[in-house]
Amino acid sequence: MLNALVAYAAEEGAAPNPLIPAWYDIIWSSVCFIVILLVFWKVALPKMKKLLDERSAAIEGNIAKADEAQRKAEAALEEYTAQLADARKEAGEIRDAAREDGKKIVAEAKDTAAAEAARLTATAHSQIEAERQTALVSLRSEVGTLALDLAGGVIGETLSDDAKAQAVVDRFLAELEASEAEKASK
């Protein structure tokens, strides 16, 4: 049967195979392919290569710029960190100095208040002593007058001599103070 098909094909004048194109199509297709390949090779490929090189250079430039920006940012961060540390240290020093100044001010205020209190106390003591002396003198004169009047009433004569009257009053007050001192010591 195969022989019959080959014989039939040979009789027909060799019908073309649909899978294999004709020779003239293969030649013209090869010429067009070579022309297109040459145009692509000489025109399109260099332009593509140039475009890719420019893009690569731009990317590398951007990477370099980014690296430089990152280095600058790191340097700025280090500088900021150093400034922050200095500022914290300075703030601590200022705070410590303020505490010391506060302690000094408080100590000075205490000293001033103590001195003022001592001065006021001394003034008050001297004023009290002066008033005491005034009251003692006033009391002595009143007691002396009363004692003289009573003594005059008991004796029946008036004590008109001031020196004598004063001596009697002083002796009476001295005895009174002595008796009070004895009572206080017991």
Side-chain angles (χ1 to χ4, degrees), residues 101-119:
D101 289 346
K103 287 178 184 177
K104 288 178 184 176
I105 290 170
V106 167
E108 289 174 2
K110 283 181 181 179
D111 292 344
T112 304
E116 184 67 19
R119 186 187 64 79

Side-chain angles (χ1 to χ4, degrees), residues 160-176:
S160 59
D161 185 17
D162 281 339
K164 191 175 179 183
Q166 185 66 34
V168 170
V169 169
D170 287 339
R171 190 186 68 195
F172 175 72
L173 289 176
E175 288 176 2
L176 185 62

Side-chain angles (χ1 to χ4, degrees), residues 34-97:
I34 292 172
V35 168
I36 290 172
L37 183 65
L38 287 176
V39 168
F40 182 75
W41 189 277
K42 293 294 181 177
V43 176
L45 195 58
K47 285 184 181 180
M48 270 306 234
K49 187 176 181 183
K50 181 180 175 186
L51 181 67
L52 290 175
D53 288 344
E54 288 174 358
R55 189 168 219 177
S56 175
I59 290 171
E60 288 175 3
N62 288 339
I63 289 173
K65 287 179 185 176
D67 288 342
E68 182 64 27
Q70 186 169 357
R71 280 193 295 275
K72 286 181 181 178
E74 288 173 356
L77 179 62
E78 288 176 8
E79 181 180 341
Y80 170 75
T81 304
Q83 288 176 351
L84 184 61
D86 290 344
R88 285 183 179 162
K89 180 180 177 185
E90 185 176 341
E93 291 172 355
I94 290 171
R95 188 173 42 247
D96 292 341

